[in-house]
Structure formats: C-alpha cells, structure tokens
Amino acid sequence: MSDVDFMREALKLAEQAALAGEVPVGAVVVKDGEIVGRGFNAPISRHDPSAHAEIAALRDAAQRIGNYRLVGCELFVTLEPCVMCVGAMFHARIARVVFGAQDYKTGAAGSVLDLFAQSQLNHHATIQGGVLADECGKVLTDFFAMRRAQQKTQ
C-alpha cells in the first residue's frame, strides 16, 4: 500500500468520527506495510481531552504489538498533529509521520510550531505533510459548515 492508500484509511476513520459528532480526524499506525493501529477523534463522547485520533491509534498499535515503543512504525493522520499528539509520537518512537491538512490553529508540525525540528528533543521523526490535503481539509470544512448550519436552525 502507498501513502495515499494509508491516508484513505485514515479518512474512513475521520468519517466515523464525524458520524459520532466528533471533529472528523482519523489516524492509522503502520508497521512493515500493515496497519497495526486505528483511531479517530472521540474527546467529546469519551469526556477525555486526550482522545485524539493519533492517541487512539497509538494505543491500539501498542496493544496489538505488545510494546509502548512503536519503533519502525509510521503514523498517518488526516490533520496536522497538535503538541500533545506529537509528544506521544516522540515517546512511542514513531519513525515517520504523514499528515493531510495543515492546522493553522494548533499544528505542531510546522503550521504553528515545528516540534519535529527541535534538535534539543531526544527523538526525531521524518515528517511529511500534504498527502490528500484537499480531501482531508474538505472533510473538516464540510463538518464545520454543517455544524454552523445546525446552530442557526436551533
């Protein structure tokens, strides 16, 4: 499978989040070309500020692999990760992070901050943004447009 294929899997998970009324972000963790972890945003339904798609995918992968260190794994996420999620990726030792749309409000992979460029940190990952950026961005734009429309009718 290619980066685009893995991002499409993450987009499917983002759709699940949207159906649950959550901000539509999805993520997958890949090891040796196989998906080993999946997650989508659920902070609202779980009453958990850490229930981001990336955290859920990291937890799922760690359980399946049997180790909190996910050495050699890649993480694909539909939206540029935030500071919390980048920190978790560093602790998990993710080797590569691929994201779709940029996040100009909380993005920690170059849009607001670039934690991946901080040489003082003890772990570094390869980062690539913009994979299916238009599709990933459209899912978010459509979701928030729908929510604004619903608020106007209430």
Side-chain angles (χ1 to χ4, degrees), residues 3-154:
D3 287 359
V4 169
D5 295 322
F6 291 125
M7 190 61 73
R8 289 205 189 286
E9 290 299 314
L11 275 164
K12 290 177 187 175
L13 292 162
E15 291 172 16
Q16 289 182 31
L19 290 172
E22 302 278 355
V23 175
V25 179
V28 296
V29 175
V30 174
K31 183 169 180 68
D32 300 325
E34 299 290 325
I35 295 174
V36 295
R38 298 174 187 272
F40 58 84
N41 264 8
I44 297 166
S45 60
R46 293 193 180 149
H47 309 289
D48 179 358
S50 70
H52 287 197
E54 301 95 320
I55 302 293
L58 289 170
R59 287 176 176 156
D60 187 33
Q63 289 298 309
R64 288 182 191 210
I65 290 173
N67 193 337
Y68 76 105
R69 297 285 198 215
L70 301 175
V71 176
C73 289
E74 301 171 301
L75 189 142
F76 293 78
V77 61
T78 58
L79 181 65
E80 179 180 356
C82 70
V83 171
M84 174 184 69
C85 292
V86 171
M89 291 174 207
F90 284 175
H91 285 288
R93 302 297 191 257
I94 292 293
R96 181 172 177 246
V97 178
V98 180
F99 68 87
Q102 290 183 289
D103 185 344
Y104 297 107
K105 294 183 180 182
T106 64
S111 292
V112 176
L113 299 170
D114 190 353
L115 291 179
F116 293 96
Q118 297 301 311
S119 61
Q120 304 93 324
L121 296 173
N122 70 335
H123 177 71
H124 295 90
T126 303
I127 185 80
Q128 180 181 348
V131 175
L132 296 181
D134 291 342
E135 289 180 48
C136 293
K138 185 173 179 354
V139 169
L140 290 158
T141 301
D142 291 351
F143 175 79
F144 286 113
M146 180 191 66
R147 285 189 78 184
R148 283 190 294 278
Q150 288 173 343
Q151 289 173 347
K152 285 181 182 180
T153 61
Q154 292 178 354

